[in-house]
Short mmCIF file of all heavy atoms in Angstrom, two decimals:
data_model
loop_
_atom_site.label_atom_id
_atom_site.label_comp_id
_atom_site.label_asym_id
_atom_site.label_seq_id
_atom_site.Cartn_x
_atom_site.Cartn_y
_atom_site.Cartn_z
N ALA D 1 0.84 -1.21 0.00
CA ALA D 1 0.00 0.00 0.00
C ALA D 1 0.87 1.25 0.00
O ALA D 1 0.60 2.22 -0.72
CB ALA D 1 -0.93 -0.01 1.21
N ALA D 2 1.93 1.24 0.81
CA ALA D 2 2.84 2.38 0.85
C ALA D 2 3.55 2.57 -0.49
O ALA D 2 3.77 3.70 -0.94
CB ALA D 2 3.87 2.18 1.97
N THR D 3 3.90 1.46 -1.13
CA THR D 3 4.52 1.53 -2.46
C THR D 3 3.57 2.14 -3.47
O THR D 3 3.96 2.94 -4.32
CB THR D 3 4.95 0.14 -2.93
OG1 THR D 3 5.84 -0.44 -1.97
CG2 THR D 3 5.65 0.21 -4.28
N ARG D 4 2.29 1.78 -3.36
CA ARG D 4 1.30 2.32 -4.30
C ARG D 4 1.14 3.83 -4.12
O ARG D 4 0.94 4.56 -5.11
CB ARG D 4 -0.04 1.62 -4.10
CG ARG D 4 -1.09 2.01 -5.12
CD ARG D 4 -0.63 1.71 -6.54
NE ARG D 4 -0.89 0.34 -6.93
CZ ARG D 4 -0.19 -0.29 -7.85
NH1 ARG D 4 0.83 0.30 -8.45
NH2 ARG D 4 -0.49 -1.53 -8.19
N LEU D 5 1.25 4.33 -2.89
CA LEU D 5 1.20 5.78 -2.69
C LEU D 5 2.37 6.45 -3.39
O LEU D 5 2.24 7.55 -3.93
CB LEU D 5 1.22 6.10 -1.19
CG LEU D 5 -0.04 5.73 -0.39
CD1 LEU D 5 0.15 6.09 1.08
CD2 LEU D 5 -1.27 6.43 -0.95
N GLY D 6 3.53 5.78 -3.38
CA GLY D 6 4.67 6.30 -4.14
C GLY D 6 4.39 6.31 -5.63
O GLY D 6 4.76 7.25 -6.34
N ASP D 7 3.71 5.26 -6.11
CA ASP D 7 3.36 5.18 -7.53
C ASP D 7 2.44 6.33 -7.94
O ASP D 7 2.57 6.88 -9.03
CB ASP D 7 2.66 3.84 -7.84
CG ASP D 7 3.57 2.65 -7.62
OD1 ASP D 7 4.80 2.83 -7.57
OD2 ASP D 7 3.04 1.52 -7.48
N ILE D 8 1.50 6.67 -7.07
CA ILE D 8 0.58 7.77 -7.36
C ILE D 8 1.34 9.09 -7.48
O ILE D 8 1.11 9.89 -8.39
CB ILE D 8 -0.51 7.86 -6.28
CG1 ILE D 8 -1.43 6.64 -6.37
CG2 ILE D 8 -1.33 9.15 -6.44
CD1 ILE D 8 -2.42 6.52 -5.22
N ALA D 9 2.29 9.30 -6.55
CA ALA D 9 3.11 10.51 -6.62
C ALA D 9 3.96 10.51 -7.88
O ALA D 9 4.17 11.56 -8.51
CB ALA D 9 4.00 10.60 -5.38
N LEU D 10 4.44 9.33 -8.28
CA LEU D 10 5.26 9.22 -9.48
C LEU D 10 4.45 9.58 -10.73
O LEU D 10 4.94 10.30 -11.62
CB LEU D 10 5.80 7.79 -9.60
CG LEU D 10 6.62 7.46 -10.86
CD1 LEU D 10 7.86 8.34 -10.95
CD2 LEU D 10 7.00 6.00 -10.87
N ILE D 11 3.22 9.11 -10.80
CA ILE D 11 2.37 9.42 -11.94
C ILE D 11 2.11 10.93 -12.02
O ILE D 11 2.13 11.51 -13.12
CB ILE D 11 1.04 8.65 -11.84
CG1 ILE D 11 1.30 7.16 -12.10
CG2 ILE D 11 0.01 9.18 -12.83
CD1 ILE D 11 0.13 6.26 -11.78
N ARG D 12 1.89 11.56 -10.87
CA ARG D 12 1.69 13.02 -10.87
C ARG D 12 2.92 13.74 -11.42
O ARG D 12 2.80 14.70 -12.18
CB ARG D 12 1.39 13.49 -9.45
CG ARG D 12 0.00 13.15 -8.97
CD ARG D 12 -0.23 13.66 -7.57
NE ARG D 12 -1.57 13.34 -7.11
CZ ARG D 12 -1.86 12.98 -5.88
NH1 ARG D 12 -0.91 12.93 -4.96
NH2 ARG D 12 -3.10 12.70 -5.53
N HIS D 13 4.09 13.26 -11.03
CA HIS D 13 5.32 13.88 -11.52
C HIS D 13 5.49 13.66 -13.01
O HIS D 13 5.85 14.59 -13.76
CB HIS D 13 6.53 13.30 -10.76
CG HIS D 13 7.84 13.77 -11.29
ND1 HIS D 13 8.64 12.98 -12.10
CD2 HIS D 13 8.50 14.95 -11.15
CE1 HIS D 13 9.72 13.66 -12.43
NE2 HIS D 13 9.65 14.85 -11.87
N GLU D 14 5.24 12.43 -13.47
CA GLU D 14 5.39 12.12 -14.90
C GLU D 14 4.43 12.95 -15.74
O GLU D 14 4.78 13.45 -16.80
CB GLU D 14 5.14 10.62 -15.14
CG GLU D 14 6.13 9.68 -14.46
CD GLU D 14 7.42 9.54 -15.23
OE1 GLU D 14 7.66 10.35 -16.15
OE2 GLU D 14 8.20 8.64 -14.90
N ARG D 15 3.21 13.11 -15.27
CA ARG D 15 2.22 13.89 -16.02
C ARG D 15 2.56 15.37 -16.01
O ARG D 15 2.31 16.07 -17.00
CB ARG D 15 0.82 13.66 -15.44
CG ARG D 15 0.29 12.26 -15.73
CD ARG D 15 -1.16 12.09 -15.30
NE ARG D 15 -1.70 10.83 -15.79
CZ ARG D 15 -2.96 10.45 -15.63
NH1 ARG D 15 -3.82 11.24 -15.00
NH2 ARG D 15 -3.38 9.29 -16.11
N ALA D 16 3.11 15.83 -14.89
CA ALA D 16 3.51 17.23 -14.81
C ALA D 16 4.63 17.53 -15.80
O ALA D 16 4.71 18.63 -16.36
CB ALA D 16 3.95 17.57 -13.39
N GLN D 17 5.51 16.53 -16.03
CA GLN D 17 6.61 16.71 -16.98
C GLN D 17 6.09 16.93 -18.40
O GLN D 17 6.75 17.56 -19.22
CB GLN D 17 7.53 15.49 -16.96
CG GLN D 17 8.46 15.43 -15.76
CD GLN D 17 9.40 14.25 -15.84
OE1 GLN D 17 8.98 13.11 -16.03
NE2 GLN D 17 10.69 14.51 -15.71
N ASP D 18 4.91 16.38 -18.68
CA ASP D 18 4.34 16.51 -20.02
C ASP D 18 3.66 17.86 -20.25
O ASP D 18 3.28 18.17 -21.38
CB ASP D 18 3.32 15.38 -20.26
CG ASP D 18 3.97 14.00 -20.28
OD1 ASP D 18 5.17 13.93 -20.59
OD2 ASP D 18 3.27 13.02 -19.96
N LYS D 19 3.51 18.63 -19.19
CA LYS D 19 2.87 19.94 -19.32
C LYS D 19 3.93 21.03 -19.44
O LYS D 19 4.80 21.17 -18.59
CB LYS D 19 1.97 20.21 -18.11
CG LYS D 19 0.81 19.24 -17.99
CD LYS D 19 -0.05 19.55 -16.78
CE LYS D 19 -1.23 18.59 -16.68
NZ LYS D 19 -2.07 18.86 -15.49
N LYS D 20 3.86 21.80 -20.49
CA LYS D 20 4.89 22.79 -20.79
C LYS D 20 4.90 23.96 -19.82
O LYS D 20 5.89 24.66 -19.68
CB LYS D 20 4.71 23.31 -22.23
CG LYS D 20 4.89 22.22 -23.29
CD LYS D 20 4.70 22.78 -24.68
CE LYS D 20 4.87 21.71 -25.73
NZ LYS D 20 4.68 22.24 -27.11
N ASN D 21 3.78 24.18 -19.14
CA ASN D 21 3.70 25.36 -18.27
C ASN D 21 4.13 25.08 -16.83
O ASN D 21 4.03 25.96 -15.97
CB ASN D 21 2.27 25.91 -18.27
CG ASN D 21 1.26 24.91 -17.74
OD1 ASN D 21 1.52 23.70 -17.71
ND2 ASN D 21 0.10 25.40 -17.35
N ARG D 22 4.62 23.89 -16.51
CA ARG D 22 5.07 23.59 -15.16
C ARG D 22 6.49 24.10 -14.97
O ARG D 22 7.37 23.86 -15.80
CB ARG D 22 5.01 22.09 -14.87
CG ARG D 22 3.63 21.50 -14.98
CD ARG D 22 2.62 22.17 -14.06
NE ARG D 22 2.81 21.82 -12.67
CZ ARG D 22 2.12 20.86 -12.05
NH1 ARG D 22 1.22 20.14 -12.71
NH2 ARG D 22 2.32 20.62 -10.77
N SER D 23 6.72 24.79 -13.87
CA SER D 23 8.04 25.35 -13.59
C SER D 23 9.00 24.27 -13.12
O SER D 23 8.59 23.21 -12.63
CB SER D 23 7.93 26.44 -12.53
OG SER D 23 7.53 25.87 -11.29
N LYS D 24 10.29 24.54 -13.22
CA LYS D 24 11.31 23.59 -12.76
C LYS D 24 11.21 23.35 -11.26
O LYS D 24 11.41 22.24 -10.78
CB LYS D 24 12.70 24.10 -13.14
CG LYS D 24 13.01 24.03 -14.62
CD LYS D 24 14.44 24.44 -14.89
CE LYS D 24 14.77 24.34 -16.37
NZ LYS D 24 16.19 24.74 -16.66
N SER D 25 10.91 24.41 -10.52
CA SER D 25 10.79 24.28 -9.06
C SER D 25 9.61 23.38 -8.69
O SER D 25 9.68 22.60 -7.74
CB SER D 25 10.65 25.65 -8.41
OG SER D 25 9.48 26.31 -8.87
N ASP D 26 8.52 23.50 -9.44
CA ASP D 26 7.35 22.67 -9.18
C ASP D 26 7.65 21.21 -9.49
O ASP D 26 7.29 20.31 -8.72
CB ASP D 26 6.17 23.15 -10.03
CG ASP D 26 4.84 22.57 -9.57
OD1 ASP D 26 4.76 22.15 -8.39
OD2 ASP D 26 3.90 22.53 -10.37
N LEU D 27 8.33 20.96 -10.61
CA LEU D 27 8.70 19.61 -10.98
C LEU D 27 9.67 19.01 -9.96
O LEU D 27 9.57 17.83 -9.61
CB LEU D 27 9.33 19.58 -12.37
CG LEU D 27 8.40 19.89 -13.54
CD1 LEU D 27 9.20 19.97 -14.84
CD2 LEU D 27 7.31 18.82 -13.66
N SER D 28 10.59 19.84 -9.48
CA SER D 28 11.55 19.39 -8.48
C SER D 28 10.84 19.01 -7.18
O SER D 28 11.18 18.01 -6.53
CB SER D 28 12.58 20.48 -8.22
OG SER D 28 13.49 20.08 -7.22
N ARG D 29 9.84 19.80 -6.81
CA ARG D 29 9.07 19.52 -5.59
C ARG D 29 8.31 18.21 -5.72
O ARG D 29 8.31 17.38 -4.79
CB ARG D 29 8.08 20.67 -5.33
CG ARG D 29 7.20 20.46 -4.10
CD ARG D 29 6.18 21.59 -3.97
NE ARG D 29 5.29 21.65 -5.12
CZ ARG D 29 4.21 20.86 -5.25
NH1 ARG D 29 3.92 19.96 -4.31
NH2 ARG D 29 3.43 20.98 -6.31
N LEU D 30 7.68 17.98 -6.87
CA LEU D 30 6.94 16.74 -7.09
C LEU D 30 7.86 15.53 -7.09
O LEU D 30 7.52 14.47 -6.54
CB LEU D 30 6.18 16.82 -8.42
CG LEU D 30 5.01 17.81 -8.47
CD1 LEU D 30 4.48 17.94 -9.88
CD2 LEU D 30 3.89 17.38 -7.51
N LYS D 31 9.04 15.69 -7.70
CA LYS D 31 10.00 14.58 -7.72
C LYS D 31 10.47 14.24 -6.31
O LYS D 31 10.65 13.06 -5.97
CB LYS D 31 11.20 14.92 -8.60
CG LYS D 31 12.27 13.81 -8.62
CD LYS D 31 13.44 14.17 -9.50
CE LYS D 31 13.15 13.94 -10.94
NZ LYS D 31 14.36 14.02 -11.79
N GLN D 32 10.65 15.26 -5.47
CA GLN D 32 11.11 15.01 -4.11
C GLN D 32 10.04 14.26 -3.30
O GLN D 32 10.38 13.41 -2.47
CB GLN D 32 11.44 16.33 -3.41
CG GLN D 32 12.20 16.16 -2.11
CD GLN D 32 13.50 15.39 -2.28
OE1 GLN D 32 14.31 15.70 -3.16
NE2 GLN D 32 13.70 14.37 -1.46
N ILE D 33 8.78 14.55 -3.56
CA ILE D 33 7.69 13.82 -2.90
C ILE D 33 7.76 12.34 -3.27
O ILE D 33 7.61 11.46 -2.42
CB ILE D 33 6.32 14.41 -3.28
CG1 ILE D 33 6.16 15.81 -2.69
CG2 ILE D 33 5.18 13.51 -2.80
CD1 ILE D 33 4.90 16.53 -3.14
N VAL D 34 8.00 12.07 -4.55
CA VAL D 34 8.13 10.69 -5.02
C VAL D 34 9.28 9.99 -4.29
O VAL D 34 9.12 8.88 -3.75
CB VAL D 34 8.38 10.63 -6.54
CG1 VAL D 34 8.54 9.18 -7.00
CG2 VAL D 34 7.24 11.29 -7.30
N LYS D 35 10.43 10.64 -4.27
CA LYS D 35 11.61 10.04 -3.62
C LYS D 35 11.35 9.78 -2.15
O LYS D 35 11.74 8.72 -1.62
CB LYS D 35 12.82 10.96 -3.79
CG LYS D 35 13.37 11.04 -5.20
CD LYS D 35 14.57 11.96 -5.24
CE LYS D 35 15.18 12.03 -6.62
NZ LYS D 35 16.38 12.93 -6.65
N ASN D 36 10.70 10.73 -1.47
CA ASN D 36 10.43 10.58 -0.04
C ASN D 36 9.51 9.40 0.24
O ASN D 36 9.72 8.64 1.19
CB ASN D 36 9.82 11.87 0.53
CG ASN D 36 10.82 13.01 0.59
OD1 ASN D 36 12.02 12.81 0.49
ND2 ASN D 36 10.32 14.22 0.74
#
């Protein structure tokens, strides 16, 4: 279950990467959530 919560955060980060209007700081924040 804890791994799946990481997967959900990962999907959010991957989808954010596909959006051109997301800032680098925002992407960095989302990636850090995934890592944590």
Side-chain angles (χ1 to χ4, degrees):
T3 303
R4 186 58 85 206
L5 290 179
D7 296 342
I8 291 171
L10 176 61
I11 289 169
R12 286 181 180 142
H13 174 258
E14 297 279 13
R15 289 187 171 184
Q17 284 183 307
D18 294 334
K19 296 181 180 179
K20 296 180 180 180
N21 61 340
R22 299 303 287 264
S23 66
K24 288 185 178 180
S25 61
D26 194 22
L27 291 174
S28 178
R29 179 184 61 81
L30 291 172
K31 178 180 280 191
Q32 193 57 50
I33 292 173
V34 179
K35 290 181 178 180
N36 290 344

